[in-house]
Amino acid sequence: MKHLLSIADLSPTEIHSLLELTDHMVEINHRPIPKVPALRGKNVVSLFFEDSTRTRTSFDTAAKRLSADTMNFAVSSSSVNKGESLRDTVETIAAMGVDAFVIRHKSSGAPQMITRWTNASIVNAGDGWHQHPTQALLDSYTIRTGLNRRDGFDGLHIAIVGDIKHSRVARSDVQAFTALGARVTLVAPPTLLPPSIALLGGHDWPVDVSYDLDAVLPDVDVLYLLRVQRERMDDALLPSLEEYSAMYGLDARRAARLAPHALVMHPGPMNRGVEMVVDPAELPGSAILNQVTNGVAVRMAVLFTLLGSGSDLRGDA
Ligand code: NCD
């Protein structure tokens, strides 16, 4: 594996192996000194052309725990603001000696394009509405450990609720969850579904669709809430946020109808009072902070798979 651009590029076996390697990274993260020399001498550069807190710091932490050198490049303080092209930016930094670029970009396909301009490995940390593969891996890992499903998700029912249309997380999660064997139901108002799904009839997503959260709730093993992405909506897709919240928000009444074992997940950042009306700290099934913790371990597994050389995970840094 040279790049991680999309979940669609991974076979179920490759997803399972990454999740197994993540177990090992979790064990490293529990040590008193959570650091190994596996990627010593490797240079991992984050290029984030879109705002991010958790994904950028998560990759940075992951690279440091494997002893890689890291560099963060924030567009707000870069020559991109002087009119430099994406290609010139990448080629300039690559010329300093880079082993992997972690890329977030508002345009779908930008990470794929960058693979043509450098020999470094490319990790997609979110491109437009398209893909966010490490999010799908950390979500899969959280379900795997949270519901004790090491062998796969056969028989699990996962509902993904909310702004599916603009969500790279939903696209990646659907691919990962179904590859592992789960049944996925998308729950959203028609205006927040991708047009191919909203217009009734044939679509090629391997999912069920419902407009009615209350009907789906009692049957799910995982309730995955998405953020309403107001910054990506260029027209009025919702009558109002209050109305969205009344139909699709997780309030105490809805939370009480979940099965006792069900997990509640969210990729963050959360809109409290919109999709998340209850305080998640009061939900027994909330796995939201586990997702964040697992994100570091999953990204360690990804970076090690792309840049490591087999046997050097042992030892202390
Ligand atoms: C998501 C993203 O940026 O794609 N957040 C994240 O990576 N944790 C989801 C979102 O912004 O709603």
Side-chain angles (χ1 to χ4, degrees), residues 3 71 142 149 159 162 215 244 253 259:
H3 308 295
M71 191 166 85
T142 302
R149 287 302 192 116
Y244 176 84
R253 180 182 62 84

Side-chain angles (χ1 to χ4, degrees), residues 255-272:
R257 295 184 60 235
L258 286 166
H261 71 275
L263 299 181
V264 175
M265 297 172 62
H266 191 298
M270 259 182 302
N271 288 312
R272 285 188 189 250

Side-chain angles (χ1 to χ4, degrees), residues 13 109 144 214 235 248 291 299 310:
T13 312
R144 178 182 186 266
D214 290 303
D235 41 26
Y248 297 99
Q291 289 172 271
R299 290 172 176 128

Side-chain angles (χ1 to χ4, degrees), residues 195-259:
S196 63
I197 290 187
L199 305 170
L200 290 174
H203 63 77
D204 53 7
W205 290 43
V207 295
D208 298 324
V209 177
S210 169
Y211 304 142
D212 184 356
L213 178 59
D214 290 303
V216 174
L217 267 183
D219 186 54
V220 300
D221 302 291
V222 178
L223 182 70
Y224 197 103
L225 302 176
L226 295 168
R227 182 172 66 90
V228 176
Q229 303 198 15
R230 280 172 282 186
E231 78 280 14
R232 295 196 200 279
M233 292 185 192
D234 41 24
D235 41 26
L237 298 176
L238 291 172
S240 71
L241 289 177
E242 289 73 21
E243 196 154 326
Y244 176 84
S245 192
M247 301 278 292
Y248 297 99
L250 184 63
D251 56 16
R253 180 182 62 84
R254 291 201 171 107
R257 295 184 60 235
L258 286 166

Side-chain angles (χ1 to χ4, degrees), residues 7-52:
I7 291 292
D9 300 336
L10 300 174
S11 67
T13 312
E14 286 171 317
I15 296 176
H16 276 291
S17 328
L18 280 166
L19 301 182
E20 264 159 38
L21 185 55
T22 302
D23 282 332
H24 193 82
M25 301 304 177
V26 167
E27 184 272 308
I28 291 172
N29 288 341
H30 284 133
R31 294 180 193 173
I33 299 174
K35 194 159 176 161
V36 290
L39 297 187
R40 193 179 273 170
K42 302 284 185 187
N43 194 14
V44 177
V45 175
S46 295
L47 288 181
F48 275 60
F49 295 87
E50 223 184 56
D51 296 342
S52 164

